[in-house]
Amino acid sequence: MELSSLSILLLLSWCSYIDGTSQGALKGACNDMTPQHSGNSPQSTAPPFQITVDKTMYEGGDVITVNLSRTATNQFKGFFIQARNQDGTKIPGFTLAQNSKFLQCDTANDAVTHTEASPKDSVTFQFTAPATSRGNITIVATAVESFNTFWVRIPSETIVDLAPTGVSSTILPNFIVVIVTVLCINLFQQ
């Protein structure tokens, strides 16, 4: 039986799609972090995986260790990890680990994913905090146990930005000084 050129092209396209998901997340997953596993939805149960960070506060340039690991007997075959600030902006700064690659969503180094689908107990990355204040950051992960079973947007603890910004660093302390001064003046005038 002879295959037509169109049949061969369709077969190659299908193989490429399968290969792309077993070797990492696709760009279509960048915003909602849902794997492009057609017809499958994320699990609604608590994930048997966790994302942990070794620091819960940061200053510009701090290096934070990020770990995605299992919390039960389940292993994961795929992962997709991003850092996001409180308004959802993706923050670049990851360094690759073994069997991982970058997936550029908005900017370079703003997401990492797997390069092969062997069962994993954990993966560890380094994340370098931005040099300028970007607000509080949460590391979020998608963990794929199988084509049909995955959890999305598993959050780490919030990593608090220590850079002085906004009302809390300038206006509020000055306001308190003014209030205390006014109270003291009123006390001494009585």
PDB file of all heavy atoms in Angstrom, residues 27 52 159 189:
ATOM      1  N   LYS A  27       3.961  25.960  24.222  1.00  0.00           N
ATOM      2  CA  LYS A  27       3.743  27.382  24.463  1.00  0.00           C
ATOM      3  C   LYS A  27       2.278  27.702  24.786  1.00  0.00           C
ATOM      4  O   LYS A  27       2.001  28.631  25.535  1.00  0.00           O
ATOM      5  CB  LYS A  27       4.217  28.197  23.260  1.00  0.00           C
ATOM      6  CG  LYS A  27       4.316  29.677  23.573  1.00  0.00           C
ATOM      7  CD  LYS A  27       5.222  30.388  22.608  1.00  0.00           C
ATOM      8  CE  LYS A  27       5.213  31.870  22.859  1.00  0.00           C
ATOM      9  NZ  LYS A  27       6.226  32.316  23.774  1.00  0.00           N
ATOM     10  N   THR A  52       8.340  23.805  46.936  1.00  0.00           N
ATOM     11  CA  THR A  52       8.900  24.472  48.100  1.00  0.00           C
ATOM     12  C   THR A  52      10.030  25.401  47.673  1.00  0.00           C
ATOM     13  O   THR A  52      10.657  25.207  46.627  1.00  0.00           O
ATOM     14  CB  THR A  52       9.435  23.459  49.140  1.00  0.00           C
ATOM     15  OG1 THR A  52      10.419  22.624  48.512  1.00  0.00           O
ATOM     16  CG2 THR A  52       8.304  22.604  49.699  1.00  0.00           C
ATOM     17  N   ILE A 159       6.933  34.498  48.297  1.00  0.00           N
ATOM     18  CA  ILE A 159       8.268  35.028  48.581  1.00  0.00           C
ATOM     19  C   ILE A 159       8.114  36.551  48.613  1.00  0.00           C
ATOM     20  O   ILE A 159       7.839  37.175  47.590  1.00  0.00           O
ATOM     21  CB  ILE A 159       9.285  34.586  47.509  1.00  0.00           C
ATOM     22  CG1 ILE A 159       9.234  33.065  47.330  1.00  0.00           C
ATOM     23  CG2 ILE A 159      10.686  35.041  47.894  1.00  0.00           C
ATOM     24  CD1 ILE A 159       9.914  32.572  46.072  1.00  0.00           C
ATOM     25  N   GLN A 189       0.395  71.740  75.434  1.00  0.00           N
ATOM     26  CA  GLN A 189      -0.365  72.983  75.445  1.00  0.00           C
ATOM     27  C   GLN A 189      -1.464  72.947  76.504  1.00  0.00           C
ATOM     28  O   GLN A 189      -2.029  73.972  76.830  1.00  0.00           O
ATOM     29  CB  GLN A 189      -0.976  73.256  74.080  1.00  0.00           C
ATOM     30  CG  GLN A 189       0.036  73.686  73.060  1.00  0.00           C
ATOM     31  CD  GLN A 189      -0.599  73.982  71.705  1.00  0.00           C
ATOM     32  OE1 GLN A 189      -1.761  73.686  71.475  1.00  0.00           O
ATOM     33  NE2 GLN A 189       0.193  74.566  70.824  1.00  0.00           N
TER      34      GLN A 189
END
